[in-house]
Amino acid sequence: MARNVDPSVDAVPFPVCDVDLLRRWRRHAESGAFAELVDRHQADLLRVAHAITGDAGQAEDAVQESFLSLCREADAVLAAAGERRSLGGWLCAVVRNRCIDDLRRRHPQPLPDQIAQPQPAAADAGSLWEAVAALPPLERAAVVLRYRDQLDYRAVAERLGKSVSHVGVILHQAMQRLREHPRLRSEAAS
Amino acid sequence: MNRDPAEILTAYADGELSEAERVRVEAALEADPALRGELAAIRAAQDALRTLPQAPPVLSPEARQRLLAGVERAWTRPPRRRLRRLLPYAVAAGVLLAIGGGILTTSTVHYLAPEGEPACEVPPVRIASVEPPPRRNQAAGAASIALPLQDMRSEQLEMLQALDLPADEAAREGDSRIAKGREEAISETESANAFLAIGAGGRARQSADEKKERRAGDKQTTVDELTRSIVNAVKPAPARPAIQEPRLPAIPAQTPTVLASRLANIAPAPILARDPVQRLLNLAENYELPVELPQRRLPLATALPIAPGLSAGEQVVMLANRAGAQVVLDHGRLAMRAPAALDPTDRLGMDAAAFAAAWGSPPMTVVAQDPGLTFALDADTASFDSARAELDAGRLPDPASLRPEHFVNAVPADYPRPTAGEAFALFAEAGPSPFARGPLAARQALVAVGVVGRDAAAGERRPLHLVVALDTSGSMAAPGTMDIARIALDGLFSRLDARDRVAVTAFGERARVVQPAIGGDRQDRLMQALRQSAQPDGATNLAEGIALAIQVAREMADPDAALRVVLVTDGAAIAGPEEAEARVRASALRASGGSLLLLGVGSPPADTRALDSLVAAGDGQRLHLGGAAEARAVVDGALLPGRLDVLARDAKAQVQWNPERVTHARLVGYERRRLDHGAFRDDRVDAGELAAATTATALFEVVLAEGGSGPLGTASVRYVDTRRGAVRELAHALPGSLLAAQASPRLRTLACAAELAEQLRGSWWANVRPIPFAAIAAACDGLPAPADTLARMARQADGLRPLLEVRP
């Protein structure tokens, strides 16, 4: 009957989903809830942003911007959440689009080659990045997420908003292009 | 697959090929050195890419701080909840009540203590005794409900109590007035059988919110104002626009136990609606719970006030139960959904005996292993009659005393009576079950097998030798109880004639013979004896009462007459050693060729198992007479002298299923009357007694073999014919053609009766297939009697259902 319950089962962890966190922030200005959202998603968003821009600073900017977009559009996001629990996809799409827009705006500016400087181990990574940076943004992001971050096709597809088979095609094209690059050709020869 | 070979090679290097593709690529690599070179180049390039500079794992502390500061600045006061969605309805805003110059709406109140903690944050919050939350006024009035006037009054009254919460002194002072007004309002609404439209509340919300905003700070909505508003409420509700149903996908379930313990910690919140579904929705809204209900509307009749002292969580579960929904947790969110039906053949890994012990009823038998089902027939309806009496009295019957076979027997069999010579005729019908649910629903069918007994014509019946044993103990003094007994016996005596003989005994503290055996035509003397004896007094010495009656009966025994002891009792004192003793005495009756007829009068005892075993020991039957009307009905039915003659003793039935056609089968009820297969032809085994003109029906639930053909099986009945003194066995095939495409109205009524019993007793089968009482009531619509009674019982039970049932 009503009170005949086992208290021990209360020990089961009780995860809070993204949507609930956002709702808490939205309704009660609970900044802790939003901070939790940031902590949950920042690594992944930074990875995606960095894969597209190749620049840690730009990546940080894009990620901050995307979280601020989430603030501004919280009501719409919550209204559209439906049965969705995670906001990772939404944030990722915002970061991705923002980074790609940034690149287009800067075009034909060459990509700043500044990753190499703070990292002494990557003496020749600069030229490797040059090869990668020459790829179209989507291919570049796919290659970096797949081979640097070792994400599988499905994970790459989720982050880029593409289908898994499309990711296969993108990666193949990217690899064809990359192998033309002298830096990689010499690598293969050795 | 039409892909570029190099693309396939990339995917191969990435380990993203299917097994078949991988094997083919490896074969090609084996054969082609150029391809191997290509692969090596791809791998080298991939490895080189691994050394690309890593992305920063987290935002720099400054960036994070900047971001969170920006987030804080970006926060604006949220718009009213649901406002957007409800804008279209705002025009049709609901009933607003004028009070003085202001306007008050009926309103749900969101008082979730720390301002609506989301559902997932259950554990630490326990707010039962906490003061009102700081921003209550803002929270209050987030929604309002437009309801027809008669509903609204009670709504409003319910709201009153909740609106000015415990902390509000003014409200406390006004409590008694509220309570009074509330009673009045509720009694007014009692007659209303309108449906409350769910979601009707939303429409008035926008304007309500505006008003509330204006009233913000005016927390002291005084009781006087509110009471006046009830008096002034005159406007009818506007027509309701169509309702949008919230929908959710299926969510993995958690056990009710886990759920309940979680829910126990949610703070109580006032839920203001008479309609349980509306209340559920209100509650769910308070807790940000997604809601999916299998039935969107319940009749007002099923509404009950919420029991005080329950946590909100328990209320959710209770309401969900009422609505026939299951509450599940998913990622800390609560969801309601229709409970899933299970596979009825699933034994949970137990063998049949363990299963029966755990669940109180045997599992479906696997026909391939065990094709037969053998049981003692039972024609009684007593459990049905007493359940009906209990429900009419506003109580749920004790699950242990519910016997589905009695419910099934309550459905009369309009089959042709047997032709001359034979005491019984067999009948059978089959068709799809209206309540089949779950993975095997398409293959499930109902098979009803029964016997219908000969109705002795007036001149044809054997003389009747009756011994009445009348309980005159103190408990029989309950108002009307003795009158019911008198009506039944008077009716019985009036139809006896000079061939019959009747003796009257009575027992209170002591048993005594009130009237030695005289002719059945002496009705005056018999009734006088009843009046003399029927002065209730003292304790019940049932054992002595039965012993005396049987002693008298022995003296009256006559091979050419039917001998019956009619025990009239309210059954209040049959328990413990008393019961065991009474049973031993009753079994002596069998030796003299007599049988017991137990007339239960008045309100039945909570547990009727003692009565049932007493009747079984006395080879008899039990009738329950809850009131005078039932007593009169029984006089024209089961108490007709011709029908008191026992036609068959030790009646047993056996059904052998054809494994080609039926894979699983179960007998509904009859748990306490199962026999070993060998007992069917063992005539020493005590089984059921069947009086003249009775029917006994056994309802089977079977799972049909896919693509099976041929007969369903065979049904046999074996009994001792009391008039011939010989054993008879009838057997019939159950042809495949029996299986109708559509269940007959009678079969559907049988299904409703059985389902009602299963759901009422909360058996394993109710677990397998949780059918809401409302659905049973709905299924009874348009079916023959006693479907109307079944529907009424289902509706009564719906309102009485236990709050939260946690089954093992």
Side-chain angles (χ1 to χ4, degrees), chain A residues 3 9-10 12 14 16 20 23-28 39 42 60 115 119 147-148 153 172 179, chain B residues 4 14 16 38 46 48 53 59-60 64 75-76 115 118 120-121 261-262 265 288 309 333:
Chain A
R3 325 247 157 214
V9 289
D10 236 346
V12 183
F14 217 85
V16 182
D20 283 330
R23 190 177 283 127
R24 270 163 63 171
W25 172 78
R26 185 69 197 99
R27 188 149 305 146
H28 315 300
D39 293 341
Q42 57 179 349
E60 278 207 336
I115 311 100
Q119 294 177 337
Y147 300 114
R148 181 193 68 184
Y153 280 21
H172 163 63
R179 284 168 60 203
Chain B
D4 183 341
D14 283 333
E16 295 273 352
E38 180 80 355
Q46 288 178 348
L59 292 169
S60 64
R64 187 172 190 274
W75 189 83
T76 55
E115 271 293 283
C120 18
E121 287 300 277
S261 71
R262 293 269 172 68
N265 290 325
E288 299 280 329
R333 316 182 108 235

CSV table of all heavy atoms in Angstrom, one decimal, chain A residues 3 9-10 12 14 16 20 23-28 39 42 60 115 119 147-148 153 172 179, chain B residues 4 14 16 38 46 48 53 59-60 64 75-76 115 118 120-121 261-262 265 288 309 333:
chain,number,residue,atom,x,y,z
A,3,ARG,N,2.5,3.3,1.7
A,3,ARG,CA,3.8,3.7,2.3
A,3,ARG,C,4.7,2.5,2.2
A,3,ARG,O,5.8,2.5,2.8
A,3,ARG,CB,3.6,4.1,3.8
A,3,ARG,CG,2.4,4.8,4.1
A,3,ARG,CD,2.7,6.3,4.4
A,3,ARG,NE,1.5,7.0,4.2
A,3,ARG,CZ,1.5,8.3,3.7
A,3,ARG,NH1,2.6,8.9,3.5
A,3,ARG,NH2,0.4,8.9,3.5
A,9,VAL,N,16.2,2.1,-2.3
A,9,VAL,CA,16.4,2.3,-3.7
A,9,VAL,C,16.6,3.8,-4.0
A,9,VAL,O,16.9,4.2,-5.1
A,9,VAL,CB,15.2,1.8,-4.5
A,9,VAL,CG1,15.1,0.4,-4.5
A,9,VAL,CG2,13.9,2.4,-3.9
A,10,ASP,N,16.5,4.6,-3.0
A,10,ASP,CA,16.8,6.0,-3.2
A,10,ASP,C,18.2,6.3,-3.6
A,10,ASP,O,18.5,7.4,-4.1
A,10,ASP,CB,16.4,6.8,-2.0
A,10,ASP,CG,15.4,7.9,-2.3
A,10,ASP,OD1,15.2,8.2,-3.5
A,10,ASP,OD2,14.8,8.4,-1.4
A,12,VAL,N,19.9,5.2,-5.9
A,12,VAL,CA,20.1,5.3,-7.4
A,12,VAL,C,20.4,6.7,-7.8
A,12,VAL,O,19.7,7.6,-7.4
A,12,VAL,CB,18.9,4.8,-8.1
A,12,VAL,CG1,19.1,4.7,-9.6
A,12,VAL,CG2,18.5,3.4,-7.6
A,14,PHE,N,20.5,10.2,-9.8
A,14,PHE,CA,19.3,10.8,-10.3
A,14,PHE,C,19.8,11.9,-11.3
A,14,PHE,O,20.0,13.0,-11.0
A,14,PHE,CB,18.6,11.5,-9.2
A,14,PHE,CG,17.1,11.4,-9.3
A,14,PHE,CD1,16.4,10.3,-8.9
A,14,PHE,CD2,16.4,12.5,-9.9
A,14,PHE,CE1,15.0,10.3,-9.0
A,14,PHE,CE2,15.1,12.5,-10.0
A,14,PHE,CZ,14.4,11.4,-9.6
A,16,VAL,N,20.3,14.7,-14.1
A,16,VAL,CA,19.5,15.8,-14.5
A,16,VAL,C,19.8,16.1,-16.0
A,16,VAL,O,21.0,16.2,-16.3
A,16,VAL,CB,19.7,17.1,-13.7
A,16,VAL,CG1,18.8,18.2,-14.2
A,16,VAL,CG2,19.5,16.8,-12.2
A,20,ASP,N,16.4,20.1,-18.5
A,20,ASP,CA,16.0,20.5,-17.2
A,20,ASP,C,16.9,21.6,-16.6
A,20,ASP,O,16.5,22.5,-16.0
A,20,ASP,CB,15.9,19.3,-16.3
A,20,ASP,CG,14.7,18.5,-16.5
A,20,ASP,OD1,13.7,19.1,-17.0
A,20,ASP,OD2,14.7,17.3,-16.3
A,23,ARG,N,16.0,24.7,-18.2
A,23,ARG,CA,14.8,25.2,-17.7
A,23,ARG,C,15.0,25.9,-16.3
A,23,ARG,O,14.4,26.9,-16.0
A,23,ARG,CB,13.8,24.1,-17.6
A,23,ARG,CG,12.4,24.5,-17.4
A,23,ARG,CD,11.4,23.3,-17.4
A,23,ARG,NE,11.1,22.9,-18.7
A,23,ARG,CZ,11.2,21.7,-19.2
A,23,ARG,NH1,11.7,20.7,-18.4
A,23,ARG,NH2,10.9,21.4,-20.4
A,24,ARG,N,15.8,25.2,-15.5
A,24,ARG,CA,16.0,25.8,-14.2
A,24,ARG,C,16.7,27.2,-14.3
A,24,ARG,O,16.3,28.1,-13.6
A,24,ARG,CB,16.9,24.8,-13.4
A,24,ARG,CG,16.2,23.8,-12.7
A,24,ARG,CD,17.0,22.7,-12.2
A,24,ARG,NE,18.1,23.1,-11.3
A,24,ARG,CZ,18.9,22.2,-10.7
A,24,ARG,NH1,18.7,20.9,-10.9
A,24,ARG,NH2,19.8,22.6,-9.9
A,25,TRP,N,17.6,27.3,-15.2
A,25,TRP,CA,18.3,28.6,-15.3
A,25,TRP,C,17.2,29.6,-15.8
A,25,TRP,O,17.1,30.7,-15.3
A,25,TRP,CB,19.4,28.5,-16.4
A,25,TRP,CG,20.0,29.8,-16.7
A,25,TRP,CD1,20.8,30.6,-15.9
A,25,TRP,CD2,19.6,30.6,-17.8
A,25,TRP,NE1,21.0,31.8,-16.5
A,25,TRP,CE2,20.4,31.8,-17.7
A,25,TRP,CE3,18.8,30.4,-19.0
A,25,TRP,CZ2,20.3,32.8,-18.6
A,25,TRP,CZ3,18.8,31.4,-19.9
A,25,TRP,CH2,19.5,32.6,-19.7
A,26,ARG,N,16.5,29.2,-16.8
A,26,ARG,CA,15.5,30.1,-17.4
A,26,ARG,C,14.5,30.6,-16.4
A,26,ARG,O,14.1,31.7,-16.3
A,26,ARG,CB,14.8,29.4,-18.6
A,26,ARG,CG,13.9,30.2,-19.4
A,26,ARG,CD,14.7,31.3,-20.2
A,26,ARG,NE,13.9,32.3,-20.7
A,26,ARG,CZ,13.8,33.5,-20.1
A,26,ARG,NH1,14.5,33.8,-19.0
A,26,ARG,NH2,12.9,34.4,-20.5
A,27,ARG,N,14.0,29.6,-15.6
A,27,ARG,CA,12.9,30.0,-14.7
A,27,ARG,C,13.4,30.7,-13.5
A,27,ARG,O,12.7,31.5,-13.0
A,27,ARG,CB,12.1,28.7,-14.4
A,27,ARG,CG,10.9,29.0,-13.6
A,27,ARG,CD,9.8,28.0,-13.9
A,27,ARG,NE,9.5,27.9,-15.3
A,27,ARG,CZ,9.1,26.8,-15.8
A,27,ARG,NH1,9.0,25.7,-15.1
A,27,ARG,NH2,8.8,26.7,-17.1
A,28,HIS,N,14.5,30.2,-13.0
A,28,HIS,CA,14.9,30.7,-11.7
A,28,HIS,C,16.2,31.4,-11.7
A,28,HIS,O,16.8,31.6,-10.6
A,28,HIS,CB,14.9,29.6,-10.6
A,28,HIS,CG,13.7,28.7,-10.8
A,28,HIS,ND1,12.5,29.2,-10.6
A,28,HIS,CD2,13.6,27.4,-11.1
A,28,HIS,CE1,11.6,28.2,-10.8
A,28,HIS,NE2,12.3,27.1,-11.1
A,39,ASP,N,30.0,23.2,-18.4
A,39,ASP,CA,31.0,22.2,-18.1
A,39,ASP,C,30.7,20.9,-18.9
A,39,ASP,O,31.7,20.2,-19.2
A,39,ASP,CB,31.0,22.0,-16.6
A,39,ASP,CG,31.5,23.2,-15.9
A,39,ASP,OD1,32.1,24.1,-16.5
A,39,ASP,OD2,31.3,23.3,-14.6
A,42,GLN,N,31.5,21.9,-23.0
A,42,GLN,CA,32.6,22.8,-23.5
A,42,GLN,C,33.7,21.9,-24.2
A,42,GLN,O,34.1,22.4,-25.3
A,42,GLN,CB,33.3,23.6,-22.4
A,42,GLN,CG,33.8,22.8,-21.2
A,42,GLN,CD,34.5,23.7,-20.2
A,42,GLN,OE1,34.7,24.8,-20.4
A,42,GLN,NE2,34.8,23.1,-19.0
A,60,GLU,N,37.4,29.2,-28.7
A,60,GLU,CA,36.8,29.7,-27.5
A,60,GLU,C,35.7,30.7,-27.7
A,60,GLU,O,34.7,30.7,-27.1
A,60,GLU,CB,37.9,30.3,-26.6
A,60,GLU,CG,38.7,29.3,-25.8
A,60,GLU,CD,39.3,29.9,-24.5
A,60,GLU,OE1,39.5,31.1,-24.4
A,60,GLU,OE2,39.6,29.1,-23.6
A,115,ILE,N,49.0,27.8,-34.2
A,115,ILE,CA,48.9,26.7,-33.3
A,115,ILE,C,50.3,26.1,-32.9
A,115,ILE,O,50.5,25.7,-31.9
A,115,ILE,CB,48.1,25.5,-33.9
A,115,ILE,CG1,46.8,26.1,-34.5
A,115,ILE,CG2,47.8,24.4,-32.9
A,115,ILE,CD1,46.9,26.2,-36.0
A,119,GLN,N,53.2,25.2,-29.0
A,119,GLN,CA,53.5,23.7,-28.8
A,119,GLN,C,54.8,23.3,-29.4
A,119,GLN,O,54.9,23.0,-30.6
A,119,GLN,CB,52.3,22.9,-29.4
A,119,GLN,CG,51.0,23.1,-28.6
A,119,GLN,CD,49.9,22.4,-29.2
A,119,GLN,OE1,49.9,22.1,-30.4
A,119,GLN,NE2,48.9,22.2,-28.4
A,147,TYR,N,40.7,11.8,-37.2
A,147,TYR,CA,42.0,11.2,-37.0
A,147,TYR,C,42.8,11.9,-35.8
A,147,TYR,O,43.5,11.2,-35.2
A,147,TYR,CB,42.8,11.4,-38.3
A,147,TYR,CG,42.1,10.6,-39.4
A,147,TYR,CD1,41.6,11.3,-40.5
A,147,TYR,CD2,42.0,9.2,-39.3
A,147,TYR,CE1,40.9,10.6,-41.5
A,147,TYR,CE2,41.4,8.5,-40.3
A,147,TYR,CZ,40.8,9.2,-41.4
A,147,TYR,OH,40.1,8.5,-42.3
A,148,ARG,N,42.5,13.1,-35.5
A,148,ARG,CA,43.1,13.7,-34.3
A,148,ARG,C,42.4,13.2,-33.1
A,148,ARG,O,42.9,12.7,-32.1
A,148,ARG,CB,43.2,15.2,-34.4
A,148,ARG,CG,43.9,15.8,-33.2
A,148,ARG,CD,43.6,17.3,-33.0
A,148,ARG,NE,42.2,17.6,-32.7
A,148,ARG,CZ,41.7,18.8,-32.6
A,148,ARG,NH1,42.5,19.8,-32.9
A,148,ARG,NH2,40.5,19.0,-32.3
A,153,TYR,N,32.9,7.2,-37.2
A,153,TYR,CA,32.1,7.9,-38.2
A,153,TYR,C,30.8,8.5,-37.6
A,153,TYR,O,30.4,9.6,-38.0
A,153,TYR,CB,31.8,7.0,-39.4
A,153,TYR,CG,32.9,6.8,-40.3
A,153,TYR,CD1,34.3,7.0,-40.0
A,153,TYR,CD2,32.7,6.3,-41.6
A,153,TYR,CE1,35.3,6.8,-40.9
A,153,TYR,CE2,33.7,6.1,-42.5
A,153,TYR,CZ,35.0,6.4,-42.1
A,153,TYR,OH,36.0,6.2,-43.0
A,172,HIS,N,36.9,10.4,-47.4
A,172,HIS,CA,37.6,9.8,-48.5
A,172,HIS,C,38.2,10.9,-49.4
A,172,HIS,O,39.4,10.9,-49.8
A,172,HIS,CB,36.7,8.9,-49.3
A,172,HIS,CG,37.2,8.6,-50.7
A,172,HIS,ND1,38.4,7.9,-50.9
A,172,HIS,CD2,36.7,8.9,-51.9
A,172,HIS,CE1,38.6,7.8,-52.2
A,172,HIS,NE2,37.6,8.4,-52.8
A,179,ARG,N,46.6,13.5,-49.5
A,179,ARG,CA,47.8,12.7,-50.0
A,179,ARG,C,48.5,13.4,-51.1
A,179,ARG,O,49.7,13.1,-51.4
A,179,ARG,CB,47.3,11.3,-50.4
A,179,ARG,CG,47.0,10.5,-49.1
A,179,ARG,CD,46.3,9.2,-49.5
A,179,ARG,NE,47.1,8.4,-50.4
A,179,ARG,CZ,46.5,7.5,-51.2
A,179,ARG,NH1,45.2,7.3,-51.2
A,179,ARG,NH2,47.3,6.8,-52.0
B,4,ASP,N,33.2,4.0,-54.6
B,4,ASP,CA,34.6,4.1,-55.1
B,4,ASP,C,35.5,3.2,-54.2
B,4,ASP,O,35.4,3.2,-53.0
B,4,ASP,CB,35.0,5.6,-54.8
B,4,ASP,CG,36.4,5.9,-55.3
B,4,ASP,OD1,37.2,4.9,-55.5
B,4,ASP,OD2,36.8,7.1,-55.5
B,14,ASP,N,39.6,2.8,-41.5
B,14,ASP,CA,39.0,3.4,-40.3
B,14,ASP,C,38.2,2.4,-39.5
B,14,ASP,O,37.5,2.7,-38.5
B,14,ASP,CB,38.0,4.5,-40.8
B,14,ASP,CG,38.8,5.8,-41.1
B,14,ASP,OD1,39.9,5.9,-40.6
B,14,ASP,OD2,38.3,6.5,-42.0
B,16,GLU,N,35.4,0.9,-40.4
B,16,GLU,CA,34.0,1.3,-40.4
B,16,GLU,C,33.2,0.4,-41.4
B,16,GLU,O,32.1,0.8,-41.9
B,16,GLU,CB,33.8,2.7,-40.8
B,16,GLU,CG,34.4,3.7,-39.7
B,16,GLU,CD,33.4,4.0,-38.7
B,16,GLU,OE1,32.2,3.7,-38.8
B,16,GLU,OE2,33.8,4.7,-37.7
B,38,GLU,N,48.4,1.1,-51.5
B,38,GLU,CA,47.4,2.2,-51.3
B,38,GLU,C,47.0,2.3,-49.9
B,38,GLU,O,46.9,3.4,-49.3
B,38,GLU,CB,46.2,1.9,-52.2
B,38,GLU,CG,45.1,2.9,-52.2
B,38,GLU,CD,45.4,4.2,-53.0
B,38,GLU,OE1,46.5,4.3,-53.6
B,38,GLU,OE2,44.5,5.0,-53.1
B,46,GLN,N,46.8,8.9,-42.2
B,46,GLN,CA,46.0,8.9,-41.0
B,46,GLN,C,46.8,9.1,-39.8
B,46,GLN,O,46.5,9.8,-38.9
B,46,GLN,CB,45.1,7.7,-41.0
B,46,GLN,CG,44.0,7.7,-42.1
B,46,GLN,CD,43.2,6.4,-42.0
B,46,GLN,OE1,43.5,5.5,-41.4
B,46,GLN,NE2,42.1,6.4,-42.8
B,48,ALA,N,49.8,10.3,-39.5
B,48,ALA,CA,50.4,11.6,-39.4
B,48,ALA,C,49.4,12.6,-38.8
B,48,ALA,O,49.7,13.5,-38.0
B,48,ALA,CB,50.8,12.1,-40.8
B,53,PRO,N,47.7,19.4,-33.6
B,53,PRO,CA,47.6,20.0,-32.3
B,53,PRO,C,46.2,19.7,-31.7
B,53,PRO,O,45.2,19.8,-32.5
B,53,PRO,CB,47.9,21.5,-32.5
B,53,PRO,CG,47.8,21.7,-34.0
B,53,PRO,CD,48.1,20.4,-34.6
B,59,LEU,N,37.4,25.7,-21.6
B,59,LEU,CA,37.5,27.1,-21.8
B,59,LEU,C,38.5,27.7,-20.7
B,59,LEU,O,38.6,27.1,-19.6
B,59,LEU,CB,36.2,27.9,-21.5
B,59,LEU,CG,35.1,27.6,-22.5
B,59,LEU,CD1,33.8,28.2,-22.0
B,59,LEU,CD2,35.4,28.2,-23.9
B,60,SER,N,39.3,28.7,-21.1
B,60,SER,CA,40.2,29.2,-20.1
B,60,SER,C,39.4,29.9,-19.0
B,60,SER,O,38.2,30.2,-19.2
B,60,SER,CB,41.1,30.3,-20.8
B,60,SER,OG,40.2,31.4,-21.3
B,64,ARG,N,35.6,31.4,-19.3
B,64,ARG,CA,34.5,30.9,-18.6
B,64,ARG,C,33.8,31.9,-17.8
B,64,ARG,O,32.6,32.0,-17.8
B,64,ARG,CB,35.0,29.7,-17.7
B,64,ARG,CG,33.9,28.9,-17.1
B,64,ARG,CD,34.4,27.7,-16.4
B,64,ARG,NE,33.4,26.8,-16.0
B,64,ARG,CZ,32.7,26.9,-14.8
B,64,ARG,NH1,33.0,27.9,-14.0
B,64,ARG,NH2,31.8,26.0,-14.5
B,75,TRP,N,19.9,36.9,-18.8
B,75,TRP,CA,18.7,36.3,-18.3
B,75,TRP,C,17.6,37.4,-18.2
B,75,TRP,O,17.9,38.5,-17.7
B,75,TRP,CB,18.9,35.8,-16.9
B,75,TRP,CG,17.7,35.0,-16.3
B,75,TRP,CD1,17.4,33.7,-16.6
B,75,TRP,CD2,16.7,35.5,-15.4
B,75,TRP,NE1,16.2,33.4,-15.9
B,75,TRP,CE2,15.8,34.5,-15.2
B,75,TRP,CE3,16.5,36.8,-14.8
B,75,TRP,CZ2,14.7,34.6,-14.4
B,75,TRP,CZ3,15.4,36.9,-14.0
B,75,TRP,CH2,14.5,35.8,-13.8
B,76,THR,N,16.5,37.1,-18.7
B,76,THR,CA,15.3,38.1,-18.5
B,76,THR,C,14.2,37.3,-17.8
B,76,THR,O,14.2,36.1,-17.8
B,76,THR,CB,14.8,38.5,-19.9
B,76,THR,OG1,14.5,37.4,-20.7
B,76,THR,CG2,15.9,39.4,-20.6
B,115,GLU,N,10.1,27.3,-5.5
B,115,GLU,CA,9.8,27.8,-6.9
B,115,GLU,C,9.9,26.8,-7.9
B,115,GLU,O,10.7,26.9,-8.8
B,115,GLU,CB,10.7,29.0,-7.2
B,115,GLU,CG,10.1,30.3,-6.7
B,115,GLU,CD,8.9,30.6,-7.5
B,115,GLU,OE1,9.0,31.1,-8.6
B,115,GLU,OE2,7.8,30.4,-7.0
B,118,PRO,N,12.5,21.3,-10.5
B,118,PRO,CA,12.1,20.4,-11.5
B,118,PRO,C,12.0,19.0,-10.9
B,118,PRO,O,12.5,18.7,-9.9
B,118,PRO,CB,13.2,20.4,-12.5
B,118,PRO,CG,14.3,21.1,-11.8
B,118,PRO,CD,13.8,21.9,-10.7
B,120,CYS,N,13.3,16.3,-11.6
B,120,CYS,CA,14.4,15.5,-11.4
B,120,CYS,C,15.2,15.8,-10.1
B,120,CYS,O,16.0,15.0,-9.7
B,120,CYS,CB,15.4,15.7,-12.6
B,120,CYS,SG,15.1,17.1,-13.5
B,121,GLU,N,14.9,16.9,-9.5
B,121,GLU,CA,15.6,17.2,-8.3
B,121,GLU,C,14.9,16.7,-7.1
B,121,GLU,O,14.7,17.5,-6.1
B,121,GLU,CB,15.7,18.7,-8.3
B,121,GLU,CG,16.7,19.3,-9.2
B,121,GLU,CD,18.1,18.7,-9.0
B,121,GLU,OE1,18.8,19.2,-8.2
B,121,GLU,OE2,18.4,17.7,-9.7
B,261,SER,N,9.4,5.4,-4.0
B,261,SER,CA,10.3,5.9,-3.0
B,261,SER,C,10.8,7.2,-3.4
B,261,SER,O,11.0,8.1,-2.5
B,261,SER,CB,11.4,4.9,-2.7
B,261,SER,OG,12.3,4.9,-3.8
B,262,ARG,N,11.0,7.4,-4.6
B,262,ARG,CA,11.4,8.7,-5.1
B,262,ARG,C,10.3,9.7,-4.9
B,262,ARG,O,10.6,10.8,-4.4
B,262,ARG,CB,11.7,8.7,-6.6
B,262,ARG,CG,12.8,7.8,-7.0
B,262,ARG,CD,14.1,8.7,-7.0
B,262,ARG,NE,15.2,7.9,-7.2
B,262,ARG,CZ,15.5,7.2,-8.4
B,262,ARG,NH1,14.6,7.3,-9.4
B,262,ARG,NH2,16.5,6.5,-8.5
B,265,ASN,N,9.3,11.8,-1.6
B,265,ASN,CA,10.0,13.0,-1.2
B,265,ASN,C,9.6,14.3,-1.8
B,265,ASN,O,10.0,15.3,-1.5
B,265,ASN,CB,11.5,12.8,-1.4
B,265,ASN,CG,12.1,11.8,-0.5
B,265,ASN,OD1,11.7,11.6,0.6
B,265,ASN,ND2,13.0,11.0,-1.0
B,288,GLU,N,6.5,19.9,-13.8
B,288,GLU,CA,7.1,19.8,-15.1
B,288,GLU,C,7.2,18.4,-15.6
B,288,GLU,O,8.2,17.9,-16.2
B,288,GLU,CB,8.6,20.3,-15.0
B,288,GLU,CG,8.7,21.7,-14.5
B,288,GLU,CD,8.4,22.7,-15.7
B,288,GLU,OE1,8.7,22.4,-16.8
B,288,GLU,OE2,7.8,23.8,-15.4
B,309,GLY,N,-2.9,14.1,3.6
B,309,GLY,CA,-1.7,13.5,4.1
B,309,GLY,C,-0.8,12.7,3.2
B,309,GLY,O,0.1,12.0,3.5
B,333,ARG,N,12.8,12.3,-15.0
B,333,ARG,CA,11.5,12.9,-15.3
B,333,ARG,C,10.4,11.8,-15.1
B,333,ARG,O,10.6,10.7,-15.3
B,333,ARG,CB,11.4,13.4,-16.7
B,333,ARG,CG,12.7,14.1,-17.1
B,333,ARG,CD,12.6,14.6,-18.6
B,333,ARG,NE,12.4,16.0,-18.5
B,333,ARG,CZ,11.4,16.7,-19.1
B,333,ARG,NH1,10.5,16.0,-19.7
B,333,ARG,NH2,11.4,18.0,-19.0
